[in-house]
Amino acid sequence: MLILGHKNFEVHRKWAYFVLAATILFSLWFIAGWIQTGRWPSGGSLEGLTAGVGAGLIMFFEMFLWPRKTIFRAWRIGRTKYWLKAHIWLGLLCLPLGLLHGGFHFSMANSPLAGMLSWLTLIVVISGATGLYIQNIIPRIMLETLPGETIVNQIPEVLESYRNEVNQMIRETCGLADANTDPTLSGEMSIVSSVKTSGSISGRTMQTHTTYPFIQGCEPLLTFWETYGEPFLKPGKMQSSGLADKKSSEALFQSLSEKIPVEAQNMIDRMKAICDQRRQFDRQLSLHFWLHSWLVGHVAISVALMVVLILHMTLALQYP
Ligand code: HEM
């Protein structure tokens, strides 16, 4: 879908044909050698060496993406999109080349180093393809399913402000905080001043504050808040309470709605919206985690691959 979609394929067409052609040509060359000699060309044969050196050079080139993005970043060597395209397609090509060179040797029994090299190459290519998929699909999922997405670092702060808002709303409604005594003023705004500190800077800020009238018979609201709502909105890992799941959350709110007066029903709507937001934040955090952590795995396996490759090359040159 990412590459094979009509529009995307145009951008990748030349690379795709090149990789396909190289794979077919190398395969035919190996098959011809096999037919001629009656056995699969070894890694040291002309075909084997050509494919092996090709795969090895590609692997070094693939690794170069890392210093290019870090040490040589300021040098601006070529445009990022061309590097990434070359990285993807040459990375894919090194798999058939490596496997032809090693005679599809995956067994660790005969030659552990060669077996390890084949496995690592396969895993690096699969992790790269998976990462490419993740990089393309996750931002789309976020855009389509998380309308309440916010800056990840600010999630704890936003949650804390929601928690304070609902806490204040419920305590005022239940008569536990300085509440508005006129029921017609429900939802009225007042201005409050407070001192806020951010790092070393501290100052007085003015904030709008919605006031809520005391409503009799709202005790179930307070119990619900203290049992489910408050712990659920705590920043940090989401509690696995009944509110974590949309369906059971609906059921809990429905049963609460039957226990409290009609005038307090709008509290439920606000709490529901905030709990929904909390679930979205949690989903955003887990998608964000996968979006960024796959690369750590890809790079770690790539480094292991390079270590084994260098060992393999050293031994092959020492004991040809
Ligand atoms: C032997 C094969 C490969 C090696 C050694 C390798 C190595 C690397 C390394 C070291 C990076 C880190 C660059 C950075 O710091 O951002 C990287 C990134 C990446 N690789 Fe690979 N890779 C290989 C194959 C592949 C393949 C086959 C694909 C896809 C089909 C792929 C997809 C990616 C993607 C999408 C990135 C992230 C690039 C970015 O976001 O800028 N890789 N690879």
Side-chain angles (χ1 to χ4, degrees), residues 168-175 179 212-215 218 221 264 267:
Q168 181 75 18
M169 175 177 90
I170 289 176
R171 287 185 180 275
E172 285 183 12
T173 308
C174 296
Y212 296 91
F214 167 61
I215 302 174
C218 279
L221 196 61
M267 313 279 146

Side-chain angles (χ1 to χ4, degrees), residues 11-269:
V11 180
H12 289 270
R13 194 162 48 95
K14 283 185 189 151
W15 272 110
Y17 288 155
F18 167 71
V19 169
L20 190 68
T23 306
I24 293 173
L25 287 175
F26 267 96
S27 305
L28 289 176
W29 193 15
F30 270 78
I31 292 168
W34 185 22
I35 294 169
Q36 258 175 17
T37 61
R39 55 190 190 94
W40 189 258
S42 72
S45 64
L46 181 62
E47 304 88 313
L49 266 182
T50 314
V53 170
L57 287 177
I58 289 177
M59 287 175 191
F60 280 104
F61 168 81
E62 295 288 289
M63 278 311 280
F64 190 69
L65 194 61
W66 195 7
R68 188 206 163 258
K69 277 181 73 180
T70 49
I71 313 168
F72 303 119
R73 193 189 181 102
W75 292 19
R76 296 184 181 275
I77 322 166
R79 290 179 66 180
T80 309
K81 65 174 184 181
Y82 297 131
W83 273 91
L84 188 58
K85 238 188 290 175
H87 183 86
I88 292 169
W89 288 102
L90 289 176
L92 287 173
L93 179 60
C94 83
L95 182 64
L97 292 189
L99 294 184
L100 287 169
H101 165 78
F104 302 90
H105 179 105
F106 280 97
S107 156
M108 307 289 265
N110 296 342
S111 165
L113 206 59
M116 220 190 290
L117 205 51
S118 301
W119 278 113
L120 284 173
T121 311
L122 183 66
I123 297 171
V124 170
V125 171
I126 292 175
S127 71
T130 311
L132 185 63
Y133 181 74
I134 287 176
Q135 271 191 351
N136 280 272
I137 208 76
I138 285 189
R140 213 177 299 168
I141 295 176
M142 283 183 168
L143 203 67
E144 285 168 9
T145 65
L146 302 178
E149 186 191 350
T150 189
I151 298 164
V152 165
N153 290 347
Q154 288 183 357
I155 288 180
E157 216 173 296
V158 177
L159 272 177
E160 193 56 37
S161 82
Y162 281 152
R163 202 157 67 103
N164 289 338
E165 179 199 324
V166 182
N167 192 42
Q168 181 75 18
M169 175 177 90
I170 289 176
R171 287 185 180 275
E172 285 183 12
T173 308
C174 296
L176 296 174
D178 283 349
N180 187 346
T181 46
D182 181 353
T184 58
L185 289 180
S186 172
E188 286 285 307
M189 310 285 267
S190 64
I191 307 246
V192 283
S193 108
S194 62
V195 176
K196 270 206 147 185
T197 306
S198 175
S200 58
I201 302 166
S202 159
R204 189 161 282 280
T205 62
M206 305 301 273
Q207 284 177 312
T208 53
H209 167 73
T210 313
T211 55
Y212 296 91
F214 167 61
I215 302 174
Q216 206 124 36
C218 279
E219 293 74 21
L221 196 61
L222 184 64
T223 314
F224 181 90
W225 169 243
E226 286 175 348
T227 319
Y228 296 104
E230 219 249 336
F232 181 66
L233 292 182
K234 254 193 198 133
K237 199 171 163 20
M238 191 166 78
Q239 305 276 328
S240 55
S241 78
L243 297 177
D245 171 67
K246 198 174 165 65
K247 256 196 182 155
S248 64
S249 160
E250 286 287 341
L252 281 173
F253 277 116
Q254 180 58 39
S255 116
L256 173 65
S257 152
E258 287 156 14
K259 292 181 201 148
I260 60 166
V262 186
E263 308 91 277
Q265 294 295 327
N266 57 342
M267 313 279 146
I268 294 193
D269 294 339

